[in-house]
Amino acid sequence: MGVEIRYRDIAPYAKKDLLSSEAEDKQPFVDMDQLKRDALAVGKYATLEQDYWYLDGSFTSFPDNPETCDMGWWSEQMSGEDGSFASDIILTRTFEHQHTSVGISLTFDTFAEDYCASLNVKWYRDNRLLYSKDYQPNAAVFYCAQNVENFNKIIITFYSMNMPYRYLKVSNIDDGVIRNFTAGELRSVKVLEEVSPISEELSINTLSFELDSAQDTEYLFQKKQPLEVRFNDELIGIYYVDKADRAAKSQYSVSAEDYIGLLDKVRYYGGIYTDITVEDLVEEIMAGENIEFVIDENLCTYKLSGYLPICTKREALAQVAFACGGIVDDSRSSTLRIYHAANQVSSLSASDTFDGGKVTSGDIITEVHLTSYSYYNSYARQELFKGSVEAGETIITFQEPACPTGMQVEGAQLLYASYNYCVVNAVNEQAEVTISGYRYQVNTKQHSKKNPNILMGVAENIIEVQECTLISESNASEVLERVYNHYINNQTVETKAVLHSEKAGELLHVVMPWQGEYTGRIVKNEMDLRYKKIANIKLKVGDV
């Protein structure tokens, strides 16, 4: 079976941007907002539609409270004897911004292969009609092909069903189409997975591939479109288009990045925190992102105190993970996972590894220094900002955190105050604005751990960790221990191997052709998926 890439050739963030899906014809239990979700899973429910409920045990009872279940959109009227609806069923989808897509995909009732057999789609830019096209679907999942640029409204009119006495059931609507690229079309498929065992930074996993498509189809490969990569039906990862070049009519070079790459492009405004749980802080950081995430139960209630500056969401998550001892990774998963490093060890035999590997010993670490922070309100009013701003709403950021309570603004109206910024509204152009308030002061403390096994003559080599402002007195000692254990193990192993299910972040025991046996955590994994899962892997020796 080999490698397969599922390309969601859809308008990026179209569902997230969807203002409304409106239809007058709908069952009372229907929540139209469910059509904003990806891959809504509707149950196989028994109904009294004619010749619908097969008594083979595959159907489940219709739920007592369908309004609490994933149901999608069900029409109130049924199709007639000839499959037609007595009156047309109309769905209007309105977006906040403009989008571009290659058409629209509709998912009807896949259990019974019931689908709308005749429909019309109209695409609009505001009130201007761009395209109107009739379609005759022949399957429960149907793609209405039409390249449309810069639309922000779609009206779909449903005329008839392929079966009599059926409700119209729609579980998913995608602005685009899902395409599958298989090994015969893929000239190169390379995946890079990286993990830091102590999360001093969050690495961005990447995908690059060369496509020589046999299909007479043009692909858009728009930024942030998702790509699902599988090998022998095993999920390798979800990636998002970052760049695409077209060398010929059917030849493309595509590079993509994972969820962490997306988070590196989004700003987080930070704040001051006192005993906030990891779960609450991560939810605050991830707010507004269309990314599913899972946190280990033993990390959810871990409490943090300190400060986060204005930074990217990737940087903010790295600070959280470093402070609580978690790893952030999304390899081999459709979700972003924050978890404790597992201690189960998998193995590769000598027959799984290639000649040419190497073992590298780094410099000996003599000591680790870790800085902890404590923040307190100065209670002395100070000038936080003075300058001119444009008319309208303006975000003003601060170099140092300030207390939102008691913040005062002259020359404009204060709309919102936070620790690292405030929002003001000025009436006049180039208004002179002065903001005063109470800055937070910071105390720092250095925590140290020396390497007791230093021989005479070894040069001093100190690791300084000073940038994590979520390190406080409460967690400094355990963070110091983790950092020390990470750096005191100064050996790395690099080898080429055939992987089975091993992935970055896991402990691995390898037998090298001539260098011996080593156990360490996989910190880097470069895979070529054209034929087998052959990878260049890098291990950090030691259980960190």
Side-chain angles (χ1 to χ4, degrees):
M1 188 174 183
V3 64
E4 180 183 33
I5 296 178
R6 179 172 295 180
Y7 168 41
R8 290 175 61 84
D9 192 358
I10 59 176
Y13 293 122
K15 285 190 178 181
K16 184 179 178 181
D17 188 54
L18 191 62
L19 289 175
S20 64
S21 295
E22 297 180 350
E24 292 185 4
D25 193 326
K26 60 185 178 182
Q27 294 284 348
F29 57 77
V30 166
D31 177 5
M32 297 298 287
D33 281 344
Q34 290 185 355
L35 295 181
K36 295 182 179 181
R37 290 161 51 187
D38 285 321
L40 186 73
V42 178
K44 189 176 182 181
Y45 299 126
T47 71
L48 297 181
E49 296 164 274
Q50 181 174 289
D51 299 327
Y52 182 80
W53 181 1
Y54 296 112
L55 302 179
D56 58 0
S58 64
F59 285 81
T60 59
S61 298
F62 194 84
D64 293 332
N65 299 298
E67 65 276 1
T68 65
C69 303
D70 291 344
M71 302 297 293
W73 172 36
W74 293 43
S75 66
E76 188 169 28
Q77 64 171 308
M78 278 187 176
S79 58
E81 185 177 1
D82 62 352
S84 299
F85 293 115
S87 57
D88 297 342
I89 299 177
I90 299 173
L91 172 68
T92 302
R93 304 170 69 237
T94 306
F95 303 86
E96 184 174 359
H97 302 94
Q98 294 181 4
H99 298 273
T100 294
S101 79
V102 294
I104 190 167
S105 294
L106 302 168
T107 302
F108 301 103
D109 185 350
T110 57
F111 297 118
E113 275 296 312
D114 289 345
Y115 50 86
C116 177
S118 177
L119 59 89
N120 171 271
V121 184
K122 292 182 174 68
W123 287 267
Y124 291 84
R125 184 182 309 134
D126 298 326
N127 292 320
R128 177 188 170 192
L129 178 63
L130 302 176
Y131 291 96
S132 176
K133 193 169 181 180
D134 293 325
Y135 298 91
Q136 287 73 44
N138 56 8
V141 180
F142 186 78
Y143 166 47
C144 304
Q146 179 62 59
N147 286 342
V148 186
E149 295 182 354
N150 302 102
F151 64 86
N152 55 13
K153 185 170 72 172
I154 298 175
I155 297 178
I156 309 174
T157 304
F158 302 89
Y159 301 118
S160 65
M161 296 290 291
N162 68 315
M163 294 289 289
Y165 309 114
R166 290 289 190 269
Y167 298 115
L168 173 67
K169 302 170 189 171
V170 179
S171 59
N172 285 283
I173 301 178
D174 291 298
D175 292 285
V177 63
I178 297 175
R179 309 181 190 274
N180 292 323
F181 304 134
T182 56
E185 302 172 281
L186 297 166
R187 299 291 174 260
S188 170
V189 181
K190 294 182 179 179
V191 168
L192 171 65
E193 299 174 347
E194 289 185 289
V195 160
S196 165
I198 60 171
S199 294
E200 72 264 46
E201 68 171 348
L202 301 188
S203 297
I204 297 173
N205 293 338
T206 61
L207 162 73
S208 62
F209 66 93
E210 304 286 333
L211 173 68
D212 190 354
S213 178
Q215 303 178 41
D216 189 19
T217 303
E218 292 189 1
Y219 305 112
L220 294 179
F221 289 118
Q222 298 179 76
K223 270 185 174 290
K224 299 182 180 179
Q225 287 182 320
L227 299 157
E228 179 182 309
V229 182
R230 292 182 175 272
F231 187 86
N232 290 343
D233 210 31
E234 173 200 352
L235 178 65
I236 300 298
I238 307 293
Y239 304 87
Y240 293 83
V241 174
D242 183 53
K243 183 182 178 182
D245 296 316
R246 190 176 184 183
K249 181 180 180 181
S250 60
Q251 295 178 2
Y252 301 81
S253 297
V254 182
S255 58
E257 56 191 14
D258 67 351
Y259 288 141
I260 295 172
L262 297 183
L263 294 173
D264 195 44
K265 298 174 175 63
V266 186
R267 178 180 288 190
Y268 177 64
Y269 283 93
I272 296 285
Y273 310 95
T274 302
D275 287 337
I276 188 172
T277 65
V278 167
E279 182 178 30
D280 288 343
L281 183 49
V282 170
E283 285 183 352
E284 183 179 307
I285 293 169
M286 298 295 288
E289 305 306 314
N290 192 28
I291 298 174
E292 291 187 35
F293 61 91
V294 177
I295 308 173
D296 271 6
E297 289 185 9
N298 55 2
L299 288 177
C300 282
T301 57
Y302 190 101
K303 292 184 178 180
L304 297 171
S305 296
Y307 166 66
L308 284 177
I310 296 175
C311 58
T312 68
K313 293 194 172 186
R314 174 192 177 194
E315 292 168 331
L317 280 183
Q319 287 238 33
V320 173
F322 182 84
C324 73
I327 290 177
V328 182
D329 184 38
D330 56 9
S331 55
R332 319 297 171 86
S333 175
S334 60
T335 62
L336 189 69
R337 294 168 293 120
I338 304 173
Y339 62 96
H340 265 313
N343 292 322
Q344 291 84 4
V345 182
S346 56
S347 298
L348 290 180
S349 66
S351 63
D352 291 321
T353 59
F354 292 73
D355 291 336
K358 65 179 180 178
V359 179
T360 304
S361 296
D363 294 335
I364 295 174
I365 303 303
T366 59
E367 191 171 1
V368 173
H369 292 170
L370 175 75
T371 301
S372 67
Y373 297 81
S374 60
Y375 294 84
Y376 62 94
N377 199 324
S378 66
Y379 295 106
R381 183 172 289 277
Q382 302 173 54
E383 186 176 271
L384 306 177
F385 171 85
K386 186 173 184 179
S388 61
V389 301
E390 301 289 337
E393 293 187 11
T394 301
I395 296 177
I396 296 173
T397 59
F398 308 131
Q399 294 298 316
E400 299 172 313
C403 181
T405 305
M407 202 174 290
Q408 295 179 353
V409 176
E410 297 179 7
Q413 179 187 7
L414 177 63
L415 299 180
Y416 180 78
S418 190
Y419 296 96
N420 290 321
Y421 73 103
C422 68
V423 182
V424 301
N425 182 54
V427 176
N428 301 319
E429 292 286 345
Q430 301 300 321
E432 291 299 320
V433 173
T434 301
I435 303 173
S436 63
Y438 304 99
R439 292 190 189 279
Y440 276 90
Q441 305 298 311
V442 59
N443 285 334
T444 61
K445 180 179 177 180
Q446 188 181 87
H447 307 259
S448 303
K449 183 168 183 176
K450 292 185 177 182
N451 185 349
N453 302 315
I454 298 300
L455 301 176
M456 183 178 294
V458 174
E460 184 178 71
N461 184 18
I462 300 175
I463 298 295
E464 300 277 359
V465 181
Q466 301 175 328
E467 304 301 322
C468 186
T469 47
L470 289 177
I471 304 301
S472 62
E473 283 284 345
S474 64
N475 64 345
S477 60
E478 61 181 271
V479 175
L480 177 64
E481 191 69 20
R482 282 197 300 269
V483 174
Y484 176 84
N485 289 336
H486 176 73
Y487 283 105
I488 207 67
N489 294 294
N490 66 338
Q491 274 192 325
T492 58
V493 172
E494 296 178 69
T495 186
K496 189 174 183 179
V498 177
L499 297 184
H500 305 287
S501 60
E502 301 81 11
K503 63 186 179 67
E506 294 182 342
L507 280 176
L508 180 66
H509 179 79
V510 294
V511 180
M512 305 286 282
W514 56 269
Q515 297 97 327
E517 301 182 23
Y518 296 88
T519 299
R521 202 167 294 280
I522 304 174
V523 295
K524 188 175 183 179
N525 182 8
E526 295 178 280
M527 291 186 290
D528 187 336
L529 299 177
R530 284 175 298 177
Y531 306 110
K532 296 181 178 180
K533 280 199 294 186
I534 298 175
N536 292 310
I537 59 174
K538 182 177 181 179
L539 306 182
K540 184 80 164 56
V541 175
D543 184 6
V544 294

